[in-house]
Amino acid sequence: MTDNIIKEKIVTKAVLAAADCGEYDCESSMKELEELAKTAGAEVVAQVIQKRSAPEPATVIGEGKIEELRDLANKLEADLVIFDCELTASRIRNIEDIVNVRVIDRTMLILDIFAGRAVTNEGKLQVELAQLKYRLPRLAGIGASMSRLGGGIGTRGPGETKLETDRRHIRSRITKLEENLKELEKRRSFSRSRRKKDNVLTAAIVGYTNAGKSTLLNNLTGANVLAEDKLFATLDLTSRGIELPDGRTVLVIDTVGLIRRLPHNLVEAFKSTLEEAASADIILHVLDISDGEAAEKAETTSMLLTELGCGEIPVINVLNKCDLLKNNIPESSDTVKICAKTGEGFDRLLRAVAENLPESSKRISLLLPYDKGGLTAKIRENGKVFSEEYTENGIKVDALADITVIKELEPYKTD
């Protein structure tokens, strides 16, 4: 009984608010904001939306609507109001003075989720940098808000202790974080260069947040990545190797999930992680095909991939949750239906990856004369020998050979 009372007290009740000015699909955006709020640990108790030609300069929504918001928040004993747009410091102060409830915006909410999800050192540094860059011009509003109304959702993470400090100290911290991240990016860039030099093939898993990317990586490769039915369940980069049907090995890399209207600061902060997609040999674009907005979300992902310079990289559309699909969608060489949870369609997916990857190596059967036995060592340098059999006619070899040595091996090829 006592435990239940304690749990009830710590639940944050949130009211969502927005001005629908026709710039984007407000209804879909509010659904997403509600999912974000739930992911952050809030209980959404109400929504207030006002259609307007433009946001009210002082309070986003008009005088009558802001009073309605105040009365609703008071009646429902809400702890928090979340606006589906970015708020300036003055707007935060103005709205809080009227509703007398702590106010945060969409970006602060996402930053809060990121702060709770980052695990690696790089992830934590990226989150803190994004928090500080976003909060620096809003110190006057957000700092006063925290002092008057306490902590909670929108105040967590490495950046929270910096809010009450002076701007010079924060700018100094931002510079230090940027230097640290540049060092980590150099190491990541070196790793990418080394993979290219060693002919390591890479496949980047990209897609909208909560599409099933981490579940796919876990069940496809045996990785142990956090996979939850929540937005931004995974922030940190994870990679695992897997063998394809043609014998080649590909390194599968999971990346941070995407979202509509992903704040610019967050795109910048996680660019080094997202750039793994830009350097990949193939991209696995995961879509939750059971989602009624799958097409719009696919477009969001495609636009960001184009911005990152991924236009020339082969893409396989991985239609996840096919077990929930009512209509039949035909598969093709670059479109595969799977169920990441059960493994259905994984064999087709791996074949599609093998078919669409640039041909850097080729499986080949050989009969080598004994005086050409040294060619097996050459194959092993950048390839793989699956079997060798010494016969009276020569050495039978089943191998995966780098494309650069295929021409030399052609005379000894057998079918």
Side-chain angles (χ1 to χ4, degrees), residues 170-183:
I170 291 179
R171 289 193 184 104
S172 173
R173 179 62 181 159
I174 286 173
T175 301
K176 180 66 177 172
L177 287 169
E178 288 176 335
E179 288 172 358
N180 290 344
L181 283 168
K182 277 179 186 174
E183 282 301 311

Side-chain angles (χ1 to χ4, degrees), residues 189-361:
S189 181
F190 175 77
S191 296
R192 284 198 291 259
S193 301
R194 186 59 189 255
R195 289 201 301 262
K196 293 290 182 189
K197 185 179 178 182
D198 294 343
N199 295 317
V200 176
L201 296 167
T202 56
I205 301 177
V206 304
Y208 214 75
T209 184
N210 208 26
K213 299 185 304 301
S214 296
T215 302
L216 173 61
L217 182 70
N218 284 341
N219 293 340
L220 191 63
T221 68
N224 189 28
V225 178
L226 175 68
E228 290 185 301
D229 186 21
K230 289 183 178 179
L231 305 188
F232 299 117
T234 309
L235 282 184
D236 299 299
L237 202 66
T238 306
S239 58
R240 294 289 186 277
I242 190 168
E243 189 169 307
L244 299 174
D246 62 5
R248 288 184 291 176
T249 298
V250 63
L251 191 67
V252 183
I253 303 171
D254 193 12
T255 61
V256 64
L258 307 176
I259 194 170
R260 279 191 199 90
R261 297 163 55 223
L262 187 63
H264 178 71
N265 278 342
L266 299 185
V267 175
E268 285 299 311
F270 285 85
K271 207 162 189 178
S272 62
T273 305
L274 292 168
E275 278 173 355
E276 289 294 336
S279 65
D281 296 290
I282 195 165
I283 290 171
L284 307 183
H285 178 188
V286 180
L287 291 154
D288 176 357
I289 200 62
S290 69
D291 187 342
E293 297 178 344
E296 291 82 357
K297 291 179 177 180
E299 190 177 343
T300 299
T301 304
S302 298
M303 284 171 61
L304 188 53
L305 288 175
T306 302
E307 285 177 28
L308 291 168
C310 303
E312 301 300 314
I313 301 171
V315 176
I316 295 177
N317 294 306
V318 184
L319 310 184
N320 188 26
K321 304 185 185 179
C322 67
D323 54 319
L324 303 177
L325 191 60
K326 293 177 182 177
N327 301 323
N328 183 41
I329 296 178
E331 294 182 297
S332 63
S333 60
D334 60 0
T335 302
V336 180
K337 290 184 288 189
I338 68 157
C339 178
K341 278 188 176 179
T342 65
E344 181 184 346
F346 280 10
D347 53 343
R348 297 191 298 274
L349 175 59
L350 293 177
R351 284 199 301 272
V353 171
E355 288 168 11
N356 285 277
L357 270 172
E359 195 175 51
S360 58
S361 55

